[in-house]
Amino acid sequence: MKVAVLIKQTPDTAELPKVSPEEVRSGDVKATMVINPWDEYAAEEAIQLGDRFGASSVAISLGKEGETDALKHALAMGVNSALLVDVEAAREGDVWAVATALAAAVQHEGDVDVVLTGKMSVDGNSGAVYTGVACKLGWNLLVNVTKIVDIADGVVTAERSFEGGQETVTMPLPVVISVAKEINDPRYPSFMGIRKASRAKIPVLTAQELGLESIPRAVRWENLRKPEARHTEVQIIEGETVEEQAAKLVDALLAEKVI
Amino acid sequence: MTSPMGFLFNEEHEMVRKMVREFAAKEIAPKIKELDRKQQHDPAIIAKMAEQGLLGICIPVRYGGQGMDYISLGIVSEELEYVDTSARVVMSVHVGLNSLGVLQWGTEEQKQRFLVPQARGEKIACFCLTEPDAGTDVQAMRSTARREGDHYILNGEKVWISLADVADHFLVFAKTDPQAEPPYRGISAFMMTRDMPGVTTGSYHGKLGVRAGNTGWVKMDDVPVPVENRIGEEGEGFKIALSCLDNGRYTVAAGALGLIRASLDASVRYAQQRKTFGVPIAQHQLVKRMISLMVQRRDAGELLVYKAGWMKNQGLRNSRETTLAKWFCTDASFDSAADAVQIHGAYGYSDEYDVERFLRNSKGAVIYEGTRELQQLLQADYEFGYRRYRPLRCELPAYDPEEWTREA
């Protein structure tokens, strides 16, 4: 069995407020780049599927040559191999274009049974790429998976959560799965993994190799702006007794028309 | 890290830094304020450090370690102390002062018996040199080790011992020849273990800083230590202690660099948010001066620390460079933390912000593992030629990536 884990390289969330719209427009973001935190859960699950079912794993990321920090992080965690997809039309395109390039890379890799990915990216926030990948591949899609119970006889059994409930589903392979954070506790890269990853030469798949010199796009960015920073105030409610504190809190909430 | 990639650090180092930064942010930062307030040591943090391999980072793989280099040891120390000094202290005593001492001076059999479980984090190690009446003046120690057959009988009391109540293995220095002249020639080193009869330990409370760390005393009442637990030859203890300090001080210096960075980052954040006279205080010249001084200390400290780390990798003696880095960085971390409190104003004076903890934590390292004053005297003595490196029977091995990652 082979598992492909789709990984995005995103700015460190602590540094996101520093990123300017100009940097995003030019694609030259001056922040520490890390593996998208949601994709860490997918990478961890790929490693665990290796331990449980002997699956081999490959991490796939879309990016310019040299943008390999996130892939190396996945390798250092224990994912078996990595692949960088350098397709300019996808990088500069919309969600559909990204999905097109990633699906093509999965097909190029061959023999993939399961595609894993995080539920969204911390920068783009679309949460739609995996839907596009499943659509392009023509595979089944499972979203918000909290547990992969079993993979046997070409069928995956998984638990997924949805608003107000949890369900156990079965689905024939191949399948695209987006994972929720409840699925596991991602490990830190090991020192042995770091040694291996820092020396790894990550192969690059080009647009020519995938036949994706141009990808039609449906969405264009007309404008890009940063939301205004929200100003919040913290009030500490003090009082001699809990009752007094509670009464003051209720008064304050009433005054603010919260209740 | 302010130096561009390739100057001091390679990609492997950068990945180590990212990993430890994430580790400290997730495993230590969320609970450190409360632990510090309660003066409580949390053994779960050491357990996590062990699980992650930090406790054997620069020990060869065949001795249970991770096979990374000495620069990685510095990076780990730096990133841990960025969050709290107590976690860095574990690296200093377990790795720097004890494990590297065994790597340098231990026999192959001792490495298998002590170093392997220490590097794996199965046994926690500490370093017992200081006594109530013997700090900088190590020769004045009163602890004794009397040879009786195939054992030494240890008696005495050690104080200010980090991890005293936590450690399983104690690298103890005691006099096998109390009449020796000069007195340091009578000191020998022993690996004492907690299960030996006559070992008692206790913890201190009421320390100015490093309140989440365990510090205490170790008492030895007729402790029978087998001869095969003697590290080095009889009378070599002083040289062994100084070798250990070369590595402990390196981790202290690197940790202090982390504390400078933490003070600077907190100050930059706060100065851009806090407004006085209608503008962020970042725009006031005297605030800028304090920030600039912290930048100067950080960049200079980084060069001093990792020069020493590079020399360790090469197998070059580095006592002078390490003591210089330790002196500069610990003093600079105290000054930077004090400036950080100043920038935070009254808020910095309360534990609502981290900088008051940084200030309290920074003072200890100006005193321990060689006072600032001792480090200053050493620099002058090296310069005048009063102090020179003499060959050691056992040198700290240079870092050899192939050798250190060899499985057996």
Side-chain angles (χ1 to χ4, degrees):
Chain A
M1 182 165 61
K2 192 191 270 187
V3 178
V5 50
L6 306 183
I7 278 168
K8 189 173 184 185
Q9 183 163 300
T10 59
D12 188 332
T13 45
E15 295 182 27
L16 269 178
K18 286 198 301 194
V19 176
S20 69
E22 290 71 35
E23 287 173 45
V24 176
R25 259 184 229 119
S26 69
D28 184 20
V29 175
K30 290 178 182 61
T32 308
M33 301 305 281
V34 298
I35 181 171
N36 171 38
W38 297 110
D39 294 339
E40 267 189 282
Y41 296 96
E44 174 65 35
E45 199 58 23
I47 298 163
Q48 291 191 16
L49 292 182
D51 296 340
R52 290 169 65 194
F53 305 109
S56 67
S57 52
V58 56
I60 299 175
S61 183
L62 177 68
K64 278 187 283 199
E65 196 169 350
E67 289 180 344
T68 53
D69 287 5
L71 286 173
K72 290 205 166 184
H73 184 100
L75 286 178
M77 284 174 74
V79 172
N80 298 135
S81 60
L83 182 63
L84 181 70
V85 183
D86 185 1
V87 175
E88 193 180 358
R91 280 200 315 273
E92 294 180 357
D94 52 19
V95 168
W96 187 244
V98 172
T100 303
L102 290 173
V106 170
Q107 268 169 337
H108 185 274
E109 183 68 24
D111 306 324
V112 174
D113 304 287
V114 177
V115 169
L116 288 170
T117 189
K119 69 173 196 175
M120 59 166 61
S121 62
V122 293
D123 54 356
N125 278 324
S126 77
V129 170
Y130 46 81
T131 313
V133 170
C135 187
K136 274 282 173 187
L137 290 170
W139 293 6
N140 292 316
L141 173 68
L142 264 176
V143 300
N144 230 18
V145 167
T146 53
K147 186 177 183 182
I148 294 178
V149 180
D150 199 10
I151 300 176
D153 305 323
V155 173
V156 59
T157 306
E159 290 176 9
R160 55 177 296 268
S161 62
F162 55 91
E163 215 166 310
Q166 178 99 11
E167 64 182 5
T168 303
V169 293
T170 56
M171 207 165 259
L173 300 176
V175 64
V176 175
I177 294 175
S178 83
V179 301
K181 67 177 169 44
E182 291 77 13
I183 196 164
N184 57 42
D185 187 10
R187 69 193 69 191
Y188 301 105
S190 67
F191 287 112
M192 200 200 287
I194 286 173
R195 264 202 301 275
K196 182 182 151 207
S198 67
R199 282 158 209 176
K201 293 266 175 282
I202 293 177
V204 181
L205 256 186
T206 62
Q208 290 75 22
E209 285 169 277
L210 293 172
L212 293 173
E213 281 90 343
S214 72
I215 306 174
R217 58 198 284 175
V219 179
R220 277 178 202 284
W221 288 350
E222 292 296 325
N223 192 13
L224 191 67
R225 65 177 177 82
K226 218 172 169 175
E228 287 291 311
R230 267 192 302 183
H231 294 285
T232 49
E233 249 180 58
V234 176
Q235 268 186 44
I236 309 275
I237 309 282
E238 288 176 358
E240 291 291 313
T241 61
V242 176
E243 288 76 12
E244 192 188 327
Q245 287 173 349
K248 282 186 181 174
L249 176 62
V250 170
D251 287 347
L253 291 173
L254 283 170
E256 293 288 331
K257 297 190 171 60
V258 178
I259 53 174
Chain B
M1 196 273 291
T2 57
S3 299
M5 171 100 94
F7 175 54
L8 299 174
F9 309 111
N10 58 30
E11 188 173 6
E12 195 172 286
H13 296 135
E14 286 311 306
M15 292 184 79
V16 169
R17 185 181 292 281
K18 261 190 186 170
M19 182 273 279
V20 184
R21 185 173 294 178
E22 190 188 348
F23 174 89
K26 282 189 185 157
E27 308 294 343
I28 306 170
K31 50 184 169 184
I32 195 59
K33 203 183 282 277
E34 216 39 47
L35 290 171
D36 188 81
R37 267 188 192 150
K38 291 182 181 164
Q39 304 194 43
Q40 195 181 332
H41 168 76
D42 180 2
I45 292 177
I46 296 189
K48 289 267 185 188
M49 288 170 69
E51 192 185 320
Q52 190 53 31
L54 300 179
L55 300 187
I57 178 167
C58 56
I59 304 296
V61 169
R62 67 182 185 283
Y63 295 129
Q66 301 295 332
M68 307 300 279
D69 67 353
Y70 298 105
I71 286 179
S72 300
L73 171 64
I75 291 169
V76 171
S77 305
E78 185 188 335
E79 291 300 329
L80 290 176
E81 189 150 4
Y82 184 85
V83 173
D84 195 65
T85 307
S86 58
R88 189 272 302 154
V89 167
V90 176
M91 298 304 293
S92 295
V93 300
H94 178 92
V95 181
L97 291 170
N98 188 313
S99 298
L100 287 175
V102 180
L103 179 69
Q104 180 172 352
W105 291 91
T107 61
E108 183 60 30
E109 184 274 331
Q110 287 172 332
K111 286 174 190 166
Q112 293 300 332
R113 201 150 45 97
F114 302 125
L115 190 55
V116 169
Q118 287 177 197
R120 288 183 183 151
E122 294 160 359
K123 298 287 182 190
I124 302 301
C126 73
F127 179 81
C128 304
L129 184 66
T130 301
E131 297 186 3
D133 293 314
T136 303
D137 184 11
V138 172
Q139 300 191 93
M141 72 167 55
R142 291 180 186 173
S143 292
T144 56
R146 190 179 71 247
R147 177 86 185 243
E148 279 188 13
D150 53 3
H151 282 73
Y152 287 89
I153 308 301
L154 266 62
N155 279 286
E157 188 182 1
K158 298 289 177 179
V159 294
W160 293 110
I161 306 304
S162 298
L163 304 182
D165 262 351
V166 177
D168 307 289
H169 292 173
F170 305 76
L171 183 55
V172 175
F173 297 86
K175 283 189 175 165
T176 41
D177 180 3
Q179 269 72 51
E181 273 306 326
Y184 71 82
R185 286 196 183 146
I187 299 172
S188 302
F190 302 90
M191 193 66 90
M192 184 175 82
T193 56
R194 187 175 286 280
D195 54 6
M196 291 175 179
V199 179
T200 46
T201 63
S203 299
Y204 300 135
H205 288 283
K207 287 178 293 174
L208 173 67
V210 202
R211 292 182 160 212
N214 176 263
T215 315
W217 50 266
V218 177
K219 199 162 180 305
M220 302 167 289
D221 288 311
D222 290 330
V223 181
V225 178
V227 170
E228 57 267 26
N229 283 28
R230 191 190 66 223
I231 308 290
E233 304 293 332
E234 266 196 26
E236 263 185 340
F238 188 70
K239 288 179 188 169
I240 294 172
L242 291 184
S243 305
C244 296
L245 284 165
D246 273 350
N247 299 318
R249 286 170 181 165
Y250 170 64
T251 61
V252 172
L257 173 60
L259 198 47
I260 296 169
R261 277 184 31 231
S263 299
L264 175 59
D265 290 355
S267 299
V268 166
R269 261 196 314 274
Y270 186 78
Q272 288 172 318
Q273 288 166 4
R274 172 72 175 175
K275 286 184 180 167
T276 60
F277 306 104
V279 293
I281 62 170
Q283 292 183 25
H284 298 318
Q285 286 185 330
L286 293 180
V287 171
K288 286 184 180 178
R289 180 172 184 275
M290 287 189 274
I291 296 291
S292 302
L293 284 169
M294 285 190 236
V295 169
Q296 180 199 51
R297 295 172 194 133
R298 177 197 63 191
D299 284 19
E302 185 173 276
L303 295 176
L304 289 175
V305 167
Y306 292 104
K307 176 180 173 185
W310 181 85
M311 290 177 77
K312 287 178 195 295
N313 275 356
Q314 304 302 313
L316 301 168
R317 286 284 285 281
N318 54 83
S319 308
R320 188 188 74 77
E321 289 76 10
T322 296
T323 50
L324 182 61
K326 196 264 182 188
W327 163 28
F328 178 84
C329 290
T330 56
D331 245 3
S333 71
F334 180 72
D335 292 341
S336 300
D339 282 345
V341 170
Q342 192 69 19
I343 287 170
H344 283 69
Y347 287 112
Y349 197 67
S350 96
D351 70 359
E352 187 183 340
Y353 285 82
D354 290 324
V355 290
E356 64 84 33
R357 193 177 80 249
F358 296 163
L359 179 60
R360 289 187 290 102
N361 283 355
S362 67
K363 187 60 193 174
V366 183
I367 301 168
Y368 59 61
E369 290 202 35
T371 60
R372 169 182 57 197
E373 289 67 30
L374 175 71
Q375 319 293 344
Q376 291 170 346
L377 293 177
L378 289 176
Q379 294 310 312
D381 284 351
Y382 279 117
E383 199 63 23
F384 281 125
Y386 300 158
R387 178 176 285 269
R388 289 196 180 88
Y389 295 141
R390 293 192 181 88
L392 294 173
R393 189 174 60 79
C394 305
E395 300 280 0
L396 184 71
Y399 178 69
D400 176 345
E402 273 183 34
E403 177 67 12
W404 286 47
T405 51
R406 182 162 63 80
E407 294 284 340

